[in-house]
């Protein structure tokens, strides 16, 4: 073989060897990149994954900034609502004393006057008492000590013992015993829980009764006042004084406001009455509903462990131990636990 042929064969062998080495290095580089990709995926999953992760947890995490904003904004709503309910209730009481009470004293019989004075003031006292207690009474929080609490779960948010029927309030940022809801729609600016649930329900009940009482009592006067207001724009206009015009508008305002509140708050009161009869809170209703459906698919029947029967549930809720408590603890202001 000639020298140039030998040289050509050596160059070709060297070229093939270089190609093999380049291919091996390229494959090795691709394998390293693939290994790094899988390793990064594994690290990310190990940092984010736990046994409680599901679609709900992912959505909660994504909406966490919105929840934070809503929680911090709604805290101020409660203060506004408290001032609003005090102002509206005071205006209704003032109209009753200034406008309706003189008419009652002038036109009703002594028996009806005594009934209106007795019932009206009793209802007002019950509203004020239960509203004040519902606002100022703490709903109750679980103990922070971790001794002798075997079998009690731990809250994932405040890392503290979480007894049965306890739930974490995101607005108060604390766990609440037997939490029903954080009440801002009913103008309490407070959580409704174990120690003030009775005050909250009694306030709703007596406020509804008071609004119905004012609406029924002022129906005739409000109709006459509404008819008088319609004549304001006639030609020639009627000769009503400023005091008479203020009386007409105040009575109509009283009837419209009381009727609206009676409908809205009455529906809320009936809803909570149904929950109390079943031995549930607002939160537990949703939990028990899901549990009932889950057991129904397995052919089993769900039983609420905190329900003692409709009548006994009311006795436990109201704190009635003996028959006289229906008078001293339900129909009269009471501070019993």
């Amino acid at each position: 073989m000639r020298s140039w042929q030998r040289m050509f064969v050596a160059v070709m062998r060297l070229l093939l060897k270089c190609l093999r080495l380049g291919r091996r290095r390229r494959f090795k580089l691709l394998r390293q990149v693939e290994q790094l990709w899988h390793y990064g995926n594994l690290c990310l999953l190990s940092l984010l994954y736990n046994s409680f992760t599901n679609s709900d947890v992912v959505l909660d995490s994504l909406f966490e900034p919105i929840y934070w904003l809503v929680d911090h904004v709604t805290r101020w709503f409660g203060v506004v609502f408290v001032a609003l309910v005090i102002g509206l209730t005071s205006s209704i009481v003032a109209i009753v004393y200034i406008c309706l009470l003189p008419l009652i004293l002038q036109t009703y019989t002594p028996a009806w006057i005594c009934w209106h004075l007795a019932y009206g003031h009793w209802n007002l006292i019950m509203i004020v008492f239960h509203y004040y207690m519902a606002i100022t009474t703490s709903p109750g929080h679980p103990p922070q000590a971790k001794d002798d609490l075997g079998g009690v779960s731990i809250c994932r948010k405040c890392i503290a013992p979480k007894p049965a029927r306890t739930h974490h309030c995101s607005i108060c940022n604390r766990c609440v015993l037997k939490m029903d809801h954080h009440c801002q729609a009913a103008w309490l600016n407070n959580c409704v829980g174990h120690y003030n649930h009775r005050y909250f329900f009694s306030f709703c009940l007596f406020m509804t009764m008071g609004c119905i009482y004012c609406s029924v009592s002022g129906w005739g006067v409000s109709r006459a006042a509404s008819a008088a207001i319609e004549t304001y724009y006639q030609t020639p206009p009627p000769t009503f004084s400023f005091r008479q015009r203020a009386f007409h508008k105040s009575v109509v305002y009283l009837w419209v406001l009381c009727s609206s509140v009676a409908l809205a708050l009455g529906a809320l009161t009936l809803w909570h009455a149904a929950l109390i009869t079943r031995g549930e809170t607002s939160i537990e209703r949703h939990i028990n509903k899901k549990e009932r459906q889950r057991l129904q698919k397995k052919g089993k029947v769900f039983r609420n462990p905190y329900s003692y029967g409709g009548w006994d549930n009311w006795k436990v809720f109201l704190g009635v131990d003996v028959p006289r408590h229906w008078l001293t603890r339900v129909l009269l202001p009471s501070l019993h636990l």
Side-chain angles (χ1 to χ4, degrees):
M1 184 178 292
R2 296 178 182 181
S3 60
W4 66 270
Q5 290 177 334
R6 287 196 295 269
M7 185 179 297
F8 177 76
V9 171
V11 170
M12 291 301 296
R13 287 178 178 174
L14 180 62
L15 181 62
L16 290 174
K17 189 175 181 181
C18 290
L19 286 174
R20 290 194 194 98
L21 288 174
R23 190 178 300 171
R24 288 175 184 173
R25 288 177 180 174
R26 187 169 67 251
F27 288 154
K28 186 176 181 181
L29 180 63
L30 289 175
R31 283 197 300 269
Q32 288 177 347
V33 170
E34 187 177 2
Q35 288 175 355
L36 286 173
W37 173 259
H38 288 302
Y39 179 74
N41 264 342
L42 183 62
C43 286
L44 186 63
L45 288 174
S46 66
L47 291 173
L48 300 179
Y49 177 80
N50 61 67
S51 58
F52 298 102
T53 301
N54 53 34
S55 59
D56 292 335
V57 174
V58 173
L59 286 175
D60 286 343
S61 300
L62 293 175
F63 281 95
E64 190 66 31
I66 300 177
Y67 294 153
W68 181 89
L69 179 63
V70 171
D71 289 345
H72 283 71
V73 170
T74 52
R75 289 179 185 178
W76 293 101
F77 290 169
V79 179
V80 175
F81 288 152
V82 169
L84 188 62
V85 71
I86 293 174
L88 292 176
T89 305
S90 301
S91 68
I92 295 298
V93 173
I95 292 172
V96 169
Y97 275 104
I98 296 172
C99 300
L100 295 184
L101 186 58
L103 289 178
I104 291 174
L105 295 176
Q106 292 172 8
T107 58
Y108 284 33
T109 62
W112 275 108
I113 291 174
C114 291
W115 185 86
H116 279 288
L117 290 176
Y119 177 81
H121 287 90
W122 168 79
N123 203 340
L124 178 61
I125 291 171
M126 296 298 284
I127 290 173
V128 173
F129 171 79
H130 287 103
Y131 184 65
Y132 175 78
M133 293 304 299
I135 291 176
T136 58
T137 303
S138 171
H141 305 286
Q144 297 300 311
K146 299 182 180 181
D147 300 332
D148 300 327
L149 288 175
V152 176
S153 60
I154 301 297
C155 176
R156 290 184 294 172
K157 294 185 178 180
C158 55
I159 316 299
K162 186 179 179 181
R165 311 188 83 179
T166 299
H167 299 280
H168 187 89
C169 176
S170 58
I171 298 177
C172 297
N173 198 27
R174 294 188 66 180
C175 282
V176 177
L177 296 174
K178 195 187 171 187
M179 179 179 175
D180 188 88
H181 66 288
H182 187 92
C183 187
Q184 288 175 327
W187 308 331
L188 294 186
N189 194 32
N190 194 8
C191 261
V192 176
H194 181 62
Y195 290 113
N196 64 349
H197 195 177
R198 176 176 65 88
Y199 296 129
F200 161 76
F201 177 79
S202 297
F203 162 70
C204 292
L205 176 63
F206 289 114
M207 178 63 85
T208 302
M209 292 170 58
C211 289
I212 293 174
Y213 166 73
C214 290
S215 298
V216 173
S217 301
W219 167 242
V221 181
S222 65
R223 284 186 62 187
S226 179
I229 291 174
E230 292 178 357
T231 65
Y232 285 0
Y233 307 100
Q234 292 180 355
T235 304
T239 56
F240 289 123
S241 64
F242 174 79
R243 183 174 181 179
Q244 288 173 322
R245 290 173 180 266
F247 173 86
H248 296 155
K249 294 179 180 179
S250 298
V251 171
V252 172
Y253 160 79
L254 177 143
W255 190 87
V256 172
L257 180 61
C258 288
S259 300
S260 303
V261 173
L263 288 175
L265 198 57
L268 179 66
T269 304
L270 290 175
W271 164 255
H272 279 278
L275 293 177
I276 295 167
T277 304
R278 294 197 297 263
E280 296 177 333
T281 62
S282 299
I283 296 176
E284 289 173 349
R285 177 189 176 276
H286 300 286
I287 297 174
N288 293 345
K289 182 180 180 180
K290 292 182 179 179
E291 187 67 13
R292 190 178 293 107
Q293 293 174 349
R294 185 183 71 84
L295 292 178
Q296 189 176 5
K297 293 179 181 179
K298 296 182 178 181
K300 298 180 181 180
V301 178
F302 171 77
R303 298 190 183 279
N304 182 8
Y306 305 107
S307 177
Y308 310 104
W311 183 248
D312 288 334
N313 286 337
W314 278 101
K315 291 172 67 176
V316 171
F317 177 79
L318 297 173
V320 175
D321 299 324
V322 294
R324 63 181 174 82
H325 285 166
W326 290 104
L327 173 62
T328 59
R329 295 188 172 185
V330 179
L331 298 180
L332 294 176
S334 176
L335 294 173
H336 71 278
L337 295 178

